[in-house]
Amino acid sequence: MRIVIAGGHGKIARELTRELTKDGHEVVGLIRKEEYRADLAADGAVPVVIDLEQSSAADVAQYLAGADVAVFAAGAGAGGSDERRKAVDLNGSVLLADAAEAAGVPRVVQISSTGVDSVRNGAHPPEVPDDFLSYLQAKLAAEEDLARRALSWTIVRPGGLTDDAGTGRVRLVHAGPDHAETRGTVPRADVAAVLAELIRTGAGARATLHLLSGDVPVAAAVATFA
C-alpha cells in the first residue's frame, strides 16, 4: 500500500512510518522543513517538503496521487497560538481531505484528541484550561469536516500521550457525544501500532474511536471494528 502522512516528522507519525515500512508499505511523509528529510529517510519514508499553511489542495493532491490512505498527523503543538492551531489542526486537516478527494484517495485517517466532545456547542468546561480550549475546538471542527465527507474515514482520539515504551495492549472503543470517555493515557508507540493495524486491515471505516492503554492486544482490539 501507499500511505501519505501529513505531519510526517511528528512523534506518532515517525513511529507509524516505521511500523508500516517494516511491512513493506510505501510511506510518503509531508514535512514542513528541509532539515527533517534525513530523519524520515532513516525511518524508511519518502520525504516531501511542503508547507500545508501555504499550499492549496491541488498542491497537496499531486503527492497523494496513487495513495491508498492519507493520514493527518499534523498539529501546532502545545505552544501554538490560537491562530496557528486553527491554521494547522483545522485548516490543515480540511486541506488534506480536500486533496484526498481531488486525488481519488479512498481513505483518510485522522489523529484527533480526547475531550473534543466537551467543547461542543461553544461550551468551555471549567476543567479545560484556556490555552487548551482552542486546540479542542480546532480538533472538533476538523472531525466534523471529515465526518461529512463520502470518504472512508477513521478518527482516532488518543488519551494523554506518553513516550513510554509501547505495551501492545490497548482499550479501543467507540467515541462521540453518545459515548462517555474514560480518562487515561497511552504511549505514542501504541497509538502508532493501532493506526498501522487500522490501515493494514481497513477496519474502523467511518468510525470515531477512543484509544487508551488497556488489556487487549492491538490486533484483537482493531478487529472489533472490522
Side-chain angles (χ1 to χ4, degrees):
M1 294 191 350
R2 184 172 192 265
I3 300 103
V4 179
I5 305 176
H9 196 257
K11 291 181 178 180
I12 294 174
R14 293 191 64 192
E15 291 271 9
L16 175 59
T17 294
R18 291 189 286 266
E19 282 276 343
L20 293 169
T21 56
K22 75 181 182 184
D23 287 342
H25 298 294
E26 179 188 357
V27 177
V28 177
L30 306 184
I31 50 177
R32 219 165 33 91
K33 297 181 179 180
E34 188 70 32
E35 54 261 40
Y36 296 160
R37 274 186 181 275
D39 289 338
L40 264 67
D43 294 336
V46 177
V48 171
V49 179
I50 181 170
D51 187 345
L52 297 182
E53 294 178 67
Q54 305 299 323
S55 300
S56 67
D59 294 332
V60 179
Q62 65 182 311
Y63 300 111
L64 293 177
D68 300 286
V69 183
V71 179
F72 186 76
S81 65
D82 290 356
E83 292 75 17
R84 186 138 197 280
R85 285 169 175 169
K86 182 177 181 181
V88 178
D89 293 278
L90 171 55
N91 295 347
S93 176
V94 172
L95 178 70
L96 185 70
D98 286 344
E101 289 179 333
V105 179
R107 189 172 188 203
V108 174
V109 176
Q110 180 190 89
I111 303 174
S112 187
S113 174
T114 292
V116 297
D117 286 324
S118 69
V119 300
R120 287 187 185 278
N121 303 314
H124 185 174
E127 68 271 16
V128 175
D130 290 345
D131 62 356
F132 197 58
L133 179 65
S134 63
Y135 171 78
L136 292 179
Q137 290 171 332
K139 287 296 188 188
L140 176 61
E143 284 192 9
E144 291 173 337
D145 171 79
L146 185 58
R148 70 173 175 78
R149 297 174 186 262
L151 295 162
S152 177
W153 50 265
T154 303
I155 296 166
V156 178
R157 298 178 180 175
L161 297 169
T162 75
D163 289 323
D164 297 341
T167 67
R169 292 180 175 271
V170 298
R171 178 180 186 269
L172 188 66
V173 298
H174 280 291
D178 298 326
H179 302 273
E181 281 188 348
T182 302
R183 292 182 180 274
T185 61
V186 60
R188 288 177 171 87
D190 284 336
V191 177
V194 167
L195 293 171
E197 189 68 8
L198 288 166
I199 290 167
R200 290 186 200 107
T201 63
R206 301 189 71 80
T208 301
L209 306 174
H210 186 227
L211 172 61
L212 298 174
S213 290
D215 300 319
V216 182
V218 166
V222 170
T224 304
F225 301 96

